[in-house]
Structure formats: C-alpha cells, structure tokens
Amino acid sequence: MPLVSQWETTPDRVLLLVCPCRSGSTILLRAFGHAGVPAYFQPIKNARRWRYEGQEHPWYPPANIEDRAIFMKETFGPFHFEETTYDPLAELLASNLPADRIALVVLLRDPAAVWASWRYYWEGRTSPEVFAQSWAACQRCVETASIAGVPSYAMFYEDLCQSPQAELAALFAVMGREFPLDALEGWDRKPGFGAEGSGVVLPNEPEAFLTPQAHEPVIRATGISPMKPAGVISVQENETLMNLGVFDRYRALSTSLPGTAKCMKQPVEGLSHD
C-alpha cells in the first residue's frame, strides 16, 4: 500500500521541504500557516511510522483544494532507519501529483548543531548511523527531483534566522506568491500551533513517536528566532560523523543546489503573484 493516497484535486503548487529533524523546519510551518498557506506536518513520515507499528494509515491529501498552494515539511529520523529510507517526493509523484506542480527545498543546518540537538532530546533512542542516513535521505530526494524535473533549492537555517523576511519571501516566490510581511509577527494572536484556524495541520501520530518537548519552543514562539544551542559535540562524535559521511553530504547539498534567493530573480513561471 502506498504511503500517500491519490489526489482527488491537485493544487497549483506544493512546496515540499525536507531535512533531518531538528533543522528548524517546524518554525516554518507556523510562518506559512500564519501567512494563510495550509502547512502540513510530515504526513508522509507519519504514515511510515504507522507502518513501522504494523498498521496502514496512508495520508489522504485534502479533497477540496481551496488554496492554490500548500506547504509540506518532511523530516528524516530520529529513532529508526525506517524514518530515513522513504522518499516523500517519490511518494507524491506516485500519488498523481504532477512534477511541474512541485518544488523541493532542502533545509540545511550545521550538522554538528543538529546532532547535538538529537543527542539532547533522544540520547539512547537514536544513533549516529540513523543520523547519517537522514542526510542520505535528503540526497535521495534531490536525485528523485533531478530525474523527475522537479526544481530543487537549498535554504540555510542560519540565513533564515538572520534574515527571515528575505528567506520567506524567497520560499513564497517558489510558489509564485508574495510573502505578507505581517506574517512575521503576532503569532500569539492566532490559534495555537496545530489548532483549528492556525493554518497548521498535524497528523494523528503513533504514541511511541510523540515528543512534544521538542516542539515546545515553536509552540511558545511569537516569531522566528534561532533555537537555543543544545550543546557542543565532542571530538569523538565529530570524528564519528565525519567517518559516516555526514559532513560530506552536507557540503554536497550546500554546493550542488541553488539557494532559494535565486527564486526572487527567477520566479516560477505560470503562477500568479496574488
């Protein structure tokens, strides 16, 4: 059984963002939801997790597409290899979503900082090997995009924190839209994260995978700001990640993909900027 059910109607644009978890992707859900773009919290990964639990719960895309664009984030890891061996882009393409309606963005954050966060929240429940495969999963999505003709871009977490307005404007340009500046603030005046009216759509997750403490900073956030560092990795940890190819994959993704800022100069053709 596929992880994604067939679309009844398709939006003009699906912006798919992928990354290892703890890269800063959840804060983008809040920004997109606040800006009026339906934002989906890793629905395909959730279907994969249910399968790991022995149950089939494919994601059913929205039947009535009122908005011409939707935002999806899919993160890889942190507990099992099964959370790194699926390809969300391939699943979307197999669900009759045309390739020319999808754009892929890889969110990149310093691997040492990401691993420190994994270790802080899930030490004993994760491993460097799973972490390494989460970076390999990002590369696999890029390869799928190249074959299918899906445009791919890189966004750096550090740039997002330093210049959120410019980076979000670039992401919206990928969808052929202009970013509303008032969406950068006032999040506390909107329904809570995932609540009706927030613009964020949360899946029904298996209990074994619930980690609400990891999302607490986003739940309390009123805007985009850097995550508090989760510590510094040791020399031995750094060497382990290096031997597993993590830093090589990060550099490859950083150098092979155009930055999202390029979208401001070359907007996606065929979409309005309403």
Side-chain angles (χ1 to χ4, degrees):
M1 179 179 291
L3 297 177
V4 181
S5 181
Q6 297 290 296
W7 295 72
E8 294 183 15
T9 57
T10 55
D12 287 342
R13 178 63 49 174
V14 172
L15 179 59
L16 173 64
L17 183 137
V18 299
C19 59
C21 59
R22 303 305 301 165
S23 296
S25 60
T26 304
I27 200 74
L28 286 169
L29 283 177
R30 197 71 187 273
F32 272 82
H34 194 56
V37 176
Y40 290 82
F41 181 91
Q42 51 197 40
I44 307 176
K45 176 180 173 180
N46 188 61
R48 182 75 170 191
R49 284 173 160 178
W50 277 113
R51 179 174 292 176
Y52 181 79
E53 293 286 285
Q55 300 184 48
E56 293 291 335
H57 289 285
W59 178 51
Y60 289 88
N64 299 315
I65 303 293
E66 297 180 359
D67 295 272
R68 296 174 54 199
I70 67 172
F71 173 78
M72 296 175 60
K73 81 129 178 179
E74 289 287 332
T75 67
F76 301 111
F79 304 118
H80 308 291
F81 283 112
E82 285 76 5
E83 296 170 292
T84 67
T85 56
Y86 78 106
D87 185 337
L89 178 56
E91 294 287 342
L92 287 177
L93 291 169
S95 68
N96 85 340
L97 185 63
D100 61 5
R101 298 194 183 184
I102 311 173
L104 177 71
V105 174
V106 182
L107 179 61
L108 297 171
R109 185 186 179 198
D110 174 21
V114 180
W115 171 247
S117 190
W118 280 42
R119 182 192 58 197
Y120 175 81
Y121 283 103
W122 303 301
E123 186 172 14
R125 297 186 65 192
T126 189
S127 70
E129 289 74 20
V130 172
F131 184 68
Q133 286 305 304
S134 73
W135 291 93
C138 293
Q139 287 185 309
R140 187 167 56 249
C141 285
V142 172
E143 291 167 1
T144 299
S146 178
I147 294 170
V150 171
S152 302
Y153 306 93
M155 168 174 274
F156 293 89
Y157 168 77
E158 294 78 10
D159 292 341
L160 175 64
C161 293
Q162 183 175 355
S163 306
Q165 178 178 327
E167 293 299 316
L168 280 164
L171 285 183
F172 269 65
V174 173
M175 299 188 300
R177 289 191 171 193
E178 293 184 1
F179 178 66
L181 297 183
D182 59 357
L184 282 173
E185 55 187 20
W187 294 2
D188 52 333
R189 298 193 297 271
K190 197 147 187 172
F193 183 73
E196 184 177 356
S198 69
V200 176
V201 183
L202 301 180
N204 177 27
E205 298 181 273
E207 186 174 351
F209 292 91
L210 295 176
T211 55
Q213 72 278 11
H215 299 134
E216 190 63 31
V218 176
I219 293 172
R220 297 194 312 267
T222 59
I224 294 178
S225 60
M227 290 185 283
K228 182 180 178 181
V232 179
I233 69 172
S234 67
V235 173
Q236 183 177 359
E237 287 176 301
N238 189 82
E239 184 176 345
T240 297
L241 298 184
M242 186 178 301
N243 291 337
L244 289 170
V246 168
F247 297 108
D248 288 339
R249 292 189 176 105
Y250 173 79
R251 283 190 291 270
L253 290 165
S254 301
T255 57
S256 65
L257 295 174
T260 48
K262 184 178 180 181
C263 302
M264 298 299 294
K265 300 177 182 178
Q266 297 178 331
V268 175
E269 296 181 0
L271 297 179
S272 72
H273 290 255
D274 297 337

